[in-house]
Amino acid sequence: MRSRVWWGTTAAVLGGLLVAGCGDGGGSGGGDKAGPADEKPATGDYPVTVTDCMGAKTTFSKAPEKIVTSNASSLELLLRLGAGGNVIGTGFPPGKGTLPGELDAQARKVKVLGQSVIPKEKLLGSGADLYIDTFASMNMGGGMGDAPTEEEFKAAGIKHIYLKSTACAARNKGAVTDLSAVEADITSLGAVTGTGAKAKELVDGMKGKVDAVRKAVGGTAEGERPTYFFFDYDAGTKQPTAVCNRQVANAVITLAGARNVFADCDGDYKQVGWEDVISRNPDWIQLGVRNRGSEAANQKAFDEAQKWLESNPATKGLKAVKEGHFLRIGSERTTIGGVENADTVKEIAKALHPGKIG
């Protein structure tokens, strides 16, 4: 049986995907815009085979027709690919206004099967032929809810695949310093759903943005790169949660020409002490706040996070705090594997290396 690793509030909206699939099917263009919610994905090249964190294979002879997603991140990727019309339900639904632009309206049409983890019987009885799981697999420690076994998924006629750039992050053997795993996720999901052309378009757009940043700041010597702390405000302030070198945020920070102050932490997340943050005395701090559903609510949360750092005796003396070096960038687009990782790379680089990024 597989179980999900769960990091308190940090796991509610994790993202990522599979491993390389076969074929590059048709799809529609349109930049970062997804197709209409009722659009059916085009026919791709099959069979397509994907693997889980341990290498177990799942093969598709055709595009799935009834998809359930574990949370908002996998739902968003399907919407961007134009496969939203095949999604019949989700867990951890995105809050109103959380997703950008037209994706938000499309997400509102998807049936909510669970406000958090989808109950086991509801998932097995959903009629789905595919469940896309964003949570960690292979009994990697912890767990959440009464998850179906692989035998139960099979008996229900549901294929079970993972968003690997997040679900398998803790199993990576080395530091994650680029977005190749996220790009592979998008490519694989495009292959599975027959939207390979759209997936390629999304990946190419990401690569273009990141390559431009790399050309501008990628040659900055390690010792000249500003140090950077991702402050996960929503994970609690009593004991900070660090993003370590296996987490996609480490790649985002590195690509932006900065140094994650917890890059020496092997894993994806780890609880540390404020004394650890103080000893590393970051040059910049990102206020990691999850989307509250409106710009006003988001700014209020950012204000609260900044005020806490400025007023807390343990943190008000930090270099970044004294110099007002705060970045207000949402948690999801930094710690969740997805299209917006590339935009976050550019935004961080523009703040830390003024004048070098157009």
Side-chain angles (χ1 to χ4, degrees):
M1 177 178 175
R2 300 172 185 177
S3 62
R4 291 135 177 81
V5 168
W6 178 245
W7 310 106
T9 58
T10 63
V13 285
L14 294 175
L17 192 20
L18 326 167
V19 80
C22 308
D24 181 28
S28 60
D32 283 350
K33 295 182 179 180
D38 58 354
E39 178 182 326
K40 299 294 182 181
T43 301
D45 295 330
Y46 296 91
V48 170
T49 298
V50 298
T51 64
D52 65 13
C53 300
M54 296 296 288
K57 296 179 180 180
T58 300
T59 299
F60 295 82
S61 59
K62 63 178 183 177
E65 297 178 354
K66 297 180 179 180
I67 305 171
V68 170
T69 55
S70 65
N71 67 355
S73 58
S74 45
L75 173 59
E76 179 180 350
L77 282 175
L78 290 171
L79 293 173
R80 287 183 181 274
L81 288 167
N86 284 353
V87 181
I88 63 169
T90 191
F92 285 109
K96 184 177 181 181
T98 300
L99 299 183
E102 63 190 65
L103 299 180
D104 181 64
Q106 294 172 27
R108 302 273 71 73
K109 298 178 182 180
V110 176
K111 184 177 180 180
V112 176
L113 298 179
Q115 290 295 330
S116 58
V117 174
I118 301 171
K120 176 179 175 178
E121 295 306 320
K122 184 173 288 189
L123 174 56
L124 293 174
S126 65
D129 56 7
L130 173 63
Y131 177 58
I132 301 176
D133 197 342
T134 312
F135 303 115
S137 65
M138 296 308 188
N139 197 25
M140 290 155 54
M144 179 70 179
D146 184 18
T149 65
E150 291 307 308
E151 291 74 20
E152 288 172 325
F153 274 120
K154 186 175 181 179
I158 303 173
K159 292 187 175 181
H160 180 201
I161 62 177
Y162 289 89
L163 303 179
K164 288 179 65 176
S165 63
T166 296
C168 309
R171 300 184 65 87
N172 287 327
K173 295 181 179 179
V176 178
T177 57
D178 61 34
L179 299 180
S180 58
V182 178
E183 293 162 359
D185 285 352
I186 297 169
T187 299
S188 289
L189 192 52
V192 167
T193 59
T195 58
K198 181 62 178 179
K200 183 179 185 303
E201 181 183 328
L202 294 175
V203 169
D204 286 348
M206 292 175 65
K207 286 182 175 179
K209 293 172 184 177
V210 172
D211 285 347
V213 173
R214 185 182 289 112
K215 289 177 182 177
V217 302
T220 306
E222 184 73 10
E224 296 177 7
R225 291 175 169 236
T227 54
Y228 195 93
F229 172 56
F230 178 87
F231 172 38
D232 193 343
Y233 179 65
D234 290 317
T237 56
K238 184 176 182 179
Q239 186 175 13
T241 297
V243 289
C244 300
N245 60 20
R246 307 309 199 247
Q247 223 283 328
V248 68
N250 187 70
V252 170
I253 293 166
T254 301
L255 289 168
R259 284 181 288 161
N260 176 13
V261 293
F262 289 102
D264 59 345
C265 164
D266 293 330
D268 48 5
Y269 292 98
K270 180 182 179 181
Q271 284 197 309
V272 296
W274 282 113
E275 64 274 12
D276 298 308
V277 178
I278 293 168
S279 69
R280 299 171 195 228
N281 199 18
D283 297 313
W284 288 84
I285 295 176
Q286 179 175 335
L287 305 175
V289 168
R290 288 172 186 78
N291 197 309
R292 268 40 175 187
S294 72
E295 185 62 26
N298 290 342
Q299 290 306 316
K300 181 180 179 182
F302 283 129
D303 288 343
E304 291 172 355
Q306 181 172 332
K307 183 178 179 180
W308 188 90
L309 289 169
E310 291 173 333
S311 60
N312 187 275
T315 57
K316 64 182 182 180
L318 290 171
K319 179 180 179 181
V321 176
K322 290 191 294 184
E323 296 182 357
H325 282 178
F326 300 109
L327 278 81
R328 297 185 169 210
I329 304 175
S331 292
E332 293 91 340
R333 53 185 289 196
T334 311
T335 61
I336 298 173
V339 173
E340 290 191 318
N341 292 154
D343 299 299
T344 305
V345 168
K346 182 176 180 179
E347 189 168 346
I348 294 173
K350 195 169 185 176
L352 273 58
H353 302 276
K356 293 185 178 181
I357 307 296

Short mmCIF file of all heavy atoms in Angstrom, two decimals, residues 48-70:
data_model
loop_
_atom_site.label_atom_id
_atom_site.label_comp_id
_atom_site.label_asym_id
_atom_site.label_seq_id
_atom_site.Cartn_x
_atom_site.Cartn_y
_atom_site.Cartn_z
N VAL A 48 1.07 5.05 -24.18
CA VAL A 48 1.89 5.95 -23.37
C VAL A 48 2.16 5.25 -22.04
O VAL A 48 1.22 4.75 -21.41
CB VAL A 48 1.17 7.29 -23.13
CG1 VAL A 48 1.91 8.12 -22.10
CG2 VAL A 48 1.03 8.06 -24.43
N THR A 49 3.40 5.22 -21.61
CA THR A 49 3.75 4.60 -20.34
C THR A 49 4.42 5.61 -19.42
O THR A 49 5.31 6.34 -19.84
CB THR A 49 4.71 3.41 -20.56
OG1 THR A 49 4.06 2.42 -21.35
CG2 THR A 49 5.12 2.79 -19.23
N VAL A 50 3.96 5.65 -18.17
CA VAL A 50 4.54 6.52 -17.16
C VAL A 50 4.92 5.67 -15.96
O VAL A 50 4.47 4.52 -15.82
CB VAL A 50 3.57 7.65 -16.74
CG1 VAL A 50 3.25 8.54 -17.91
CG2 VAL A 50 2.29 7.07 -16.15
N THR A 51 5.75 6.20 -15.08
CA THR A 51 6.18 5.45 -13.90
C THR A 51 5.90 6.24 -12.63
O THR A 51 5.71 7.46 -12.66
CB THR A 51 7.69 5.14 -13.96
OG1 THR A 51 8.43 6.36 -13.92
CG2 THR A 51 8.04 4.36 -15.21
N ASP A 52 5.93 5.52 -11.51
CA ASP A 52 5.78 6.18 -10.21
C ASP A 52 7.16 6.39 -9.60
O ASP A 52 8.18 6.21 -10.25
CB ASP A 52 4.83 5.40 -9.29
CG ASP A 52 5.37 4.03 -8.89
OD1 ASP A 52 6.59 3.77 -9.11
OD2 ASP A 52 4.59 3.23 -8.35
N CYS A 53 7.19 6.76 -8.32
CA CYS A 53 8.46 7.09 -7.68
C CYS A 53 9.43 5.92 -7.61
O CYS A 53 10.64 6.12 -7.52
CB CYS A 53 8.20 7.62 -6.26
SG CYS A 53 7.19 9.10 -6.20
N MET A 54 8.91 4.72 -7.64
CA MET A 54 9.74 3.53 -7.54
C MET A 54 9.95 2.84 -8.89
O MET A 54 10.55 1.78 -8.96
CB MET A 54 9.12 2.54 -6.54
CG MET A 54 9.06 3.07 -5.13
SD MET A 54 10.69 3.35 -4.41
CE MET A 54 11.21 1.66 -4.18
N GLY A 55 9.41 3.43 -9.95
CA GLY A 55 9.61 2.87 -11.28
C GLY A 55 8.52 1.95 -11.77
O GLY A 55 8.61 1.44 -12.89
N ALA A 56 7.48 1.71 -10.98
CA ALA A 56 6.37 0.89 -11.43
C ALA A 56 5.66 1.58 -12.59
O ALA A 56 5.41 2.79 -12.55
CB ALA A 56 5.40 0.63 -10.27
N LYS A 57 5.30 0.82 -13.62
CA LYS A 57 4.78 1.39 -14.85
C LYS A 57 3.25 1.35 -14.93
O LYS A 57 2.62 0.42 -14.45
CB LYS A 57 5.36 0.64 -16.05
CG LYS A 57 6.87 0.77 -16.19
CD LYS A 57 7.38 -0.02 -17.39
CE LYS A 57 8.89 0.11 -17.54
NZ LYS A 57 9.40 -0.67 -18.70
N THR A 58 2.71 2.37 -15.56
CA THR A 58 1.29 2.42 -15.90
C THR A 58 1.20 2.78 -17.37
O THR A 58 1.80 3.77 -17.80
CB THR A 58 0.53 3.47 -15.06
OG1 THR A 58 0.64 3.14 -13.68
CG2 THR A 58 -0.94 3.51 -15.45
N THR A 59 0.46 1.98 -18.13
CA THR A 59 0.37 2.20 -19.58
C THR A 59 -1.04 2.58 -19.99
O THR A 59 -2.03 2.01 -19.50
CB THR A 59 0.81 0.93 -20.34
OG1 THR A 59 2.17 0.63 -20.00
CG2 THR A 59 0.71 1.12 -21.84
N PHE A 60 -1.12 3.56 -20.89
CA PHE A 60 -2.40 4.03 -21.41
C PHE A 60 -2.48 3.70 -22.90
O PHE A 60 -1.58 4.03 -23.66
CB PHE A 60 -2.53 5.55 -21.22
CG PHE A 60 -2.58 5.98 -19.79
CD1 PHE A 60 -1.42 6.12 -19.05
CD2 PHE A 60 -3.80 6.25 -19.18
CE1 PHE A 60 -1.47 6.51 -17.72
CE2 PHE A 60 -3.85 6.65 -17.86
CZ PHE A 60 -2.69 6.78 -17.12
N SER A 61 -3.58 3.06 -23.31
CA SER A 61 -3.78 2.77 -24.72
C SER A 61 -4.61 3.85 -25.40
O SER A 61 -4.72 3.91 -26.63
CB SER A 61 -4.48 1.41 -24.89
OG SER A 61 -5.74 1.42 -24.21
N LYS A 62 -5.20 4.73 -24.59
CA LYS A 62 -5.97 5.86 -25.09
C LYS A 62 -6.04 6.92 -24.01
O LYS A 62 -5.66 6.67 -22.86
CB LYS A 62 -7.38 5.44 -25.49
CG LYS A 62 -8.20 4.90 -24.32
CD LYS A 62 -9.61 4.54 -24.76
CE LYS A 62 -10.43 4.07 -23.55
NZ LYS A 62 -11.84 3.77 -23.93
N ALA A 63 -6.51 8.10 -24.37
CA ALA A 63 -6.63 9.18 -23.38
C ALA A 63 -7.70 8.86 -22.35
O ALA A 63 -8.78 8.35 -22.70
CB ALA A 63 -6.96 10.49 -24.09
N PRO A 64 -7.43 9.15 -21.09
CA PRO A 64 -8.46 8.95 -20.06
C PRO A 64 -9.64 9.89 -20.30
O PRO A 64 -9.47 11.01 -20.79
CB PRO A 64 -7.74 9.27 -18.76
CG PRO A 64 -6.61 10.17 -19.17
CD PRO A 64 -6.19 9.70 -20.53
N GLU A 65 -10.83 9.43 -19.96
CA GLU A 65 -12.03 10.22 -20.21
C GLU A 65 -12.65 10.81 -18.95
O GLU A 65 -13.39 11.78 -19.02
CB GLU A 65 -13.07 9.34 -20.93
CG GLU A 65 -12.60 8.86 -22.30
CD GLU A 65 -13.62 7.96 -22.97
OE1 GLU A 65 -14.64 7.63 -22.33
OE2 GLU A 65 -13.40 7.59 -24.15
N LYS A 66 -12.38 10.20 -17.79
CA LYS A 66 -12.95 10.66 -16.54
C LYS A 66 -11.83 10.73 -15.51
O LYS A 66 -11.46 9.71 -14.92
CB LYS A 66 -14.08 9.74 -16.08
CG LYS A 66 -15.26 9.71 -17.04
CD LYS A 66 -16.35 8.76 -16.53
CE LYS A 66 -17.54 8.75 -17.48
NZ LYS A 66 -18.61 7.82 -16.98
N ILE A 67 -11.33 11.95 -15.28
CA ILE A 67 -10.16 12.14 -14.43
C ILE A 67 -10.55 12.78 -13.10
O ILE A 67 -11.34 13.74 -13.06
CB ILE A 67 -9.12 13.04 -15.13
CG1 ILE A 67 -8.74 12.47 -16.50
CG2 ILE A 67 -7.88 13.22 -14.27
CD1 ILE A 67 -7.89 13.40 -17.33
N VAL A 68 -9.98 12.28 -12.02
CA VAL A 68 -10.10 12.91 -10.71
C VAL A 68 -8.70 13.36 -10.30
O VAL A 68 -7.72 12.62 -10.45
CB VAL A 68 -10.68 11.94 -9.65
CG1 VAL A 68 -10.56 12.53 -8.25
CG2 VAL A 68 -12.14 11.64 -9.96
N THR A 69 -8.61 14.57 -9.79
CA THR A 69 -7.32 15.12 -9.34
C THR A 69 -7.31 15.22 -7.83
O THR A 69 -8.32 15.52 -7.20
CB THR A 69 -7.07 16.51 -9.95
OG1 THR A 69 -8.17 17.38 -9.65
CG2 THR A 69 -6.94 16.41 -11.47
N SER A 70 -6.12 14.98 -7.26
CA SER A 70 -6.02 14.99 -5.80
C SER A 70 -6.13 16.39 -5.23
O SER A 70 -6.56 16.58 -4.10
CB SER A 70 -4.71 14.36 -5.34
OG SER A 70 -3.60 15.13 -5.77
#
